[in-house]
Structure formats: structure tokens, C-alpha cells
Amino acid sequence: MESAARTTTTTTHIALVSIPAFSHQVSILEFAKRLLNLHNNTFNITCIIPTLNSSYNNIATKPFFDSLPPNIHCIFLPSVYFEDLNNNGVSVEIQIQLSVSRAMPSVRETLRSLFDATNNVVAIVADAMVPEALDFGKELGILSYIYFPCSTMLLSLCLHSSNLDEQVSCEYRDHPNLIEIPGCISIYGRDLPNSVQNRSSLEYKLFLQRCQRYRSAHDGILVNSFMELEEEATKAITQHAKGNGNCSYPPVYPIGPITHTGPSDPKSGCECLLWLDKQPPNSVLYVSFGSGGTLCQEQINELALGLELSRHKFLWVNLRAPNDRASATYFSDGGLVDDPLHFLPLGFIERTKGQGLVMCGWAPQVEVLGHKSIGAFLTHCGWNSVLESVVHGVPMMAWPLFAEQRTNAALVTDGLKVAVRPNVDTSGNSVVVKEEIVKLIKSLMEGLVGEEIRRRMKELQKFAECAVMKDGSSTRTICKLAHKWKSLGRP
């Protein structure tokens, strides 16, 4: 374990606790960077990160951590025992939850060491997957917050989960009516997160326990969204926070959009950026299923043929070997292969030469979405990707795979109306055929539907820009927190 002590001229120390998932690490550390930028580096921040394996020293992660400002220090804990969880029978959510729980003694020891070494830690901010860390804040007598890297809609669902559990007797996916979420659009039960789809499972029990801990986060929950994006959901939680007794919710602080601003590896993505430079404005469909998403072989074939038959230009990145498990590579950089011809339709690369580019490796998503040639984004609807799409004003084709991605897809499609979504059966697991893919691409890139979606997305982009301006809603919220924390620091 790295030493928690460090020499610094700053006066106020904040401790962060993340999880072994790069997307979560990026989100909470980008928040830390924004906090420092707004307050002239008057904070010292330590992020404690449990680890599972050595995959976090790969090409995608190392440049990000190497670029962190000197006031942010990361402590990577020794890997926990993980082999019994890393198999096809255990979901991503359970793997994260149980593995992080096993790391809690090390987290507690590190926090105590940090507190003793600096004598000036005033607050702990813990990722939403590790609410247990709030107990350590109470032990140390410091403020304790949850960092919620997902939507306010999902947070509202989490805070409402115990009520929902009592109201609905069947499996949510079998519920005949729409599920009501305070302050949000109503959605079908099949669009609730994977963790609630089997109510007799350990996964669901852990979800309910985690959500109950959120209610005890009395100092507040920092959510990576912004008022103008999810105003009604924020108001619903805030109104409930004013209640009395055990039924009240904690204060909620919308501090987003927090998105990836770190540099990309100079050797990663050069090919795709050079290719994009040669394409007409707004002409390319960007296709990415995130850092861990995988498709089955049949779906890869249908998607490839749909892209080809649409005759629209496309950039398909992070292509992985087929797998029937959507989250097969969530914890690693495995699954990437050197030659896409091994599992793409025969002749696809040759036939689409000039029309598209397929990459098996990482791509600099922020730079790609900000490129003038990008016209739309086929996305798995991870919240980081959704926010990046909003920040750059890029319309979406929502293609959720696992975790809370279907809930996000419902939000951007039916709530914000800035995305189209393939039709699937009630199980949500059917293969989307090439004809449906062609229809959606054309509607998004050519038709009146696409024009209206693009108009709405440009409006959201402006709201996102305003939220992070000097007097923007999210900037004011972060400053409010910062002033409170600095008032507790020692000179």
C-alpha cells in the first residue's frame, strides 16, 4: 500500500473512495479536478481505489492517472481475493459489490492513516457502490457524502426502492403497468436496472441494502447531473429531503456534467481522428459499446450488415470478440482481437472500405464526439457516454446492454427525446436485425425525426454549457460545498 502521508501547502483535505471500475474512477476524479480548478488548488485530495487485477495499468487508464494534478493523490489498495467471483455465473454488480466489501478493512485502515497523517481531513466522498465507507467518516467525525456517478432519475429510483418493493408484488419485468419514479418519466419494469430484475436474488438484496444506506447519507449526495437536465427529478428528491423522520431523503447536490477531460494516449486513436478529418461534417455515425460491452456473434453480424446497408459513414470502435454475456469484459481489457475479420461478416471490411472504419482498440471518445464530422452516436448508454454526448450536442441511438443502461436509454429516448432506440421484445435480449438498424440510422441521420432530435440536443448542449459557467447552477453547487469544507479546514 502506498503511504498516505504527503507534504502539501494546502489546508483542507478531502478523501475520495472509488471502486475497481475505470468509468467510476474517471467520474469522481474529474469532479476532484473541477473542484481544484474552481478554487485555485486550495484543496488536497486523496482518492482511495480498491483494485482487482493489473488491468488498470493498460493503455486506456495510465495516461489519465499520469495527468492528474499534483494536489490529487491516488492510493491503489492491494488486490482483493476475486477468483471465486470472476466467472460467468456472477453478475457485474455482485462482483463489484462483494469485491469492494472485501476491501473495506483496507479502506478503513488507509482513511485512518490519512486522517492521522494530515490531521486535516474534513470530508469523505464515497462512490455510490461503497456506501459502507460513510461509516468510516462517522468514526472520524468528518462530513460524509455519496458520489452518485449516474443520473438523478436513477438516484430517485434508488431512494424510492423500498416503497416500490412494497407496492409491486411480481417481478418488475412482468408488471403490467408502467413503474412510477418520483419526478421522472414512468418506465416499463424491463427498463429498470439489471440488479432489480430477479427479486429473489442476492443482487436485488444488495441493491436494496445499498439504497437504504443512501438514505442515511445525511450530509448529502453529489449527483453527476445538472438541474436543467433533470429538474423535476431533483425537485422531487429535494422536496422529500425536507420531510421529517426516517422517511426523509438526504440533500442532493447536482454537480454535473462531469465528463472526461484527461489527455488520451498519443498512440491511441490517431488513425480514427485522421480518418474523421477526411469526412464531411455531420456525416459519420460513431459506434461504441463502452469499456466493457460485448455482443453475441449473431448481433455483431446484424449490426455490421445494418451499418453497411445504411450507406452512411460509420466509425466502429472498441470492437470485441463475440460473447453471449453483455458485460463479459467489464473488469478487463480482454476480448480485444487484432483482426476483426475473425468475426465480422465475410467481406465486410472490403465492401465498406471508404464508407467506414472499424477499430478493435481504444478511441479517444471525447475528441471523437467533438469532431465536426460526427453526426450521431450509437451508444450503450453508460451515463458517462450520455453526458459526453450531451456536452458535444450529438444525437444518440440508444443500445443498452447491462446495469442501469436501459434506464438511461428510457430517459434519453422517452424523457429527453434526444435519441432513437431499437425495438426489442419484452425480454430485452433479442437480436436487433439489420433492417431495424438501417431504419434507425436513416431516421437519425436523414429524416425529420433526426432533425428534431438534433434541435433538442443542441438545446441541452447549451444548458450543459451554462451549468458549468462561472455563475452556472452546478458551479454554484460545487462552490457551496467547497466553502463549507474550507470553513472546517485548519489554517
Side-chain angles (χ1 to χ4, degrees):
M1 183 188 305
E2 298 181 23
S3 171
R6 80 190 290 224
T7 302
T8 178
T9 58
T10 57
T11 59
T12 305
H13 206 125
I14 307 297
L16 311 178
V17 181
S18 190
I19 65 170
F22 184 56
S23 59
H24 284 243
Q25 295 161 14
V26 166
S27 187
I28 199 168
L29 286 167
E30 288 289 356
F31 162 70
K33 288 163 61 176
R34 177 141 174 77
L35 177 66
L36 291 178
N37 289 336
L38 288 173
H39 291 272
N40 299 316
N41 295 324
T42 56
F43 286 93
N44 197 30
I45 299 171
T46 299
C47 186
I48 302 169
I49 304 176
T51 60
L52 302 178
N53 49 49
S54 61
S55 66
Y56 296 95
N57 293 319
N58 63 32
I59 190 173
T61 64
K62 193 174 186 303
F64 175 77
F65 287 108
D66 289 346
S67 70
L68 291 173
N71 283 34
I72 299 178
H73 178 53
C74 292
I75 298 177
F76 295 91
L77 301 180
S79 297
V80 298
Y81 177 67
F82 182 67
E83 285 72 15
D84 60 324
L85 301 178
N86 192 14
N87 62 73
N88 289 334
V90 181
S91 70
V92 165
E93 289 83 356
I94 289 183
Q95 290 182 56
I96 292 178
Q97 190 70 63
L98 296 184
S99 60
V100 169
S101 293
R102 294 175 184 182
M104 282 301 100
S106 294
V107 172
R108 185 179 186 274
E109 176 187 345
T110 305
L111 276 170
R112 172 61 68 177
S113 174
L114 182 68
F115 187 81
D116 292 341
T118 66
N119 197 31
N120 202 25
V121 179
V122 301
I124 177 175
V125 181
D127 186 275
M129 293 296 289
V130 281
E132 302 99 313
L134 296 181
D135 295 337
F136 307 147
K138 293 177 182 178
E139 290 178 16
L140 297 173
I142 60 178
L143 298 175
S144 302
Y145 301 83
I146 289 290
Y147 182 83
F148 200 80
C150 305
S151 68
T152 311
M153 177 179 177
L154 185 64
L155 177 59
S156 182
L157 170 66
C158 289
L159 294 173
H160 185 61
S161 59
S162 59
N163 295 333
L164 199 58
D165 184 63
E166 296 175 358
Q167 295 168 4
V168 178
S169 58
C170 62
E171 293 288 0
Y172 292 115
R173 61 179 174 270
D174 298 326
H175 191 56
N177 302 317
L178 291 169
I179 303 292
E180 295 184 4
I181 304 172
C184 308
I185 60 167
S186 299
I187 64 175
Y188 290 104
R190 62 178 180 268
D191 281 333
L192 294 177
N194 282 20
S195 52
V196 308
Q197 292 300 334
N198 182 355
R199 298 178 71 179
S200 63
S201 67
L202 172 61
E203 192 174 354
Y204 183 61
K205 294 175 182 177
L206 291 173
F207 170 80
L208 290 178
Q209 291 173 8
R210 192 165 64 246
C211 293
Q212 189 61 38
R213 284 182 176 269
Y214 295 163
R215 289 193 174 198
S216 63
H218 300 301
D219 293 314
I221 300 177
L222 283 58
V223 59
N224 189 11
S225 187
F226 53 101
M227 277 293 294
E228 296 82 355
L229 185 72
E230 299 184 273
E231 184 174 4
E232 293 305 315
T234 305
K235 287 181 177 178
I237 297 174
T238 301
Q239 290 171 0
H240 212 129
K242 296 177 180 177
N244 297 314
N246 295 330
C247 293
S248 64
Y249 293 167
V252 59
Y253 298 96
I255 46 87
I258 301 293
T259 57
H260 191 174
T261 61
S264 301
D265 188 288
K267 299 178 182 178
S268 174
C270 289
E271 179 187 5
C272 71
L273 293 176
L274 291 173
W275 184 82
L276 287 172
D277 288 342
K278 301 175 183 177
Q279 312 309 318
N282 302 315
S283 66
V284 178
L285 174 68
Y286 172 53
V287 182
S288 174
F289 293 97
S291 58
T294 51
L295 304 176
C296 67
Q297 180 64 71
E298 184 180 2
Q299 186 61 83
I300 288 176
N301 291 340
E302 290 294 321
L303 176 55
L305 293 173
L307 292 170
E308 178 183 353
L309 293 171
S310 75
R311 300 190 180 279
H312 278 278
K313 292 181 176 292
F314 63 87
L315 170 63
W316 187 356
V317 306
N318 292 345
L319 183 61
R320 291 178 168 83
N323 197 299
D324 290 337
R325 191 174 177 213
S327 58
T329 61
Y330 188 78
F331 283 119
S332 72
D333 56 352
L336 299 178
V337 296
D338 294 330
D339 187 0
L341 290 176
H342 288 169
F343 51 89
L344 287 170
L346 184 64
F348 172 78
I349 295 295
E350 290 80 4
R351 292 194 305 271
T352 58
K353 188 175 181 180
Q355 177 189 354
L357 176 65
V358 180
M359 292 177 55
C360 294
W362 293 88
Q365 180 157 296
V366 172
E367 289 93 329
V368 169
L369 287 173
H371 199 284
K372 65 179 184 342
S373 69
I374 295 297
F377 182 14
L378 192 163
T379 172
H380 65 307
C381 286
W383 190 242
N384 286 347
S385 291
V386 168
L387 287 181
E388 288 166 0
S389 201
V390 169
V391 166
H392 292 285
V394 180
M396 290 175 279
M397 182 188 300
W399 194 306
L401 297 178
F402 61 95
E404 85 291 351
Q405 294 165 13
R406 288 190 180 91
T407 308
N408 294 340
L411 171 61
V412 297
T413 305
D414 302 325
L416 300 174
K417 300 186 185 301
V418 292
V420 294
R421 184 178 179 182
N423 288 319
V424 295
D425 63 24
T426 55
S427 70
N429 295 317
S430 65
V431 170
V432 183
V433 297
K434 57 182 178 295
E435 291 83 3
E436 174 76 359
I437 295 168
V438 171
K439 182 182 74 173
L440 289 174
I441 293 174
K442 287 184 175 295
S443 69
L444 196 55
M445 302 291 285
E446 300 175 8
L448 294 177
V449 171
E451 288 182 12
E452 183 60 20
I453 287 176
R454 186 166 285 101
R455 183 191 65 78
R456 292 196 194 96
M457 185 58 99
K458 291 301 181 183
E459 289 181 354
L460 284 185
Q461 182 184 24
K462 292 178 182 177
F463 286 134
E465 292 172 350
C466 290
V468 297
M469 288 181 177
K470 183 177 180 180
D471 196 40
S473 59
S474 294
T475 301
R476 293 196 305 271
T477 299
I478 294 175
C479 290
K480 177 181 177 181
L481 288 166
H483 290 144
K484 182 174 185 177
W485 295 341
K486 286 197 291 188
S487 71
L488 300 174
R490 295 176 179 83

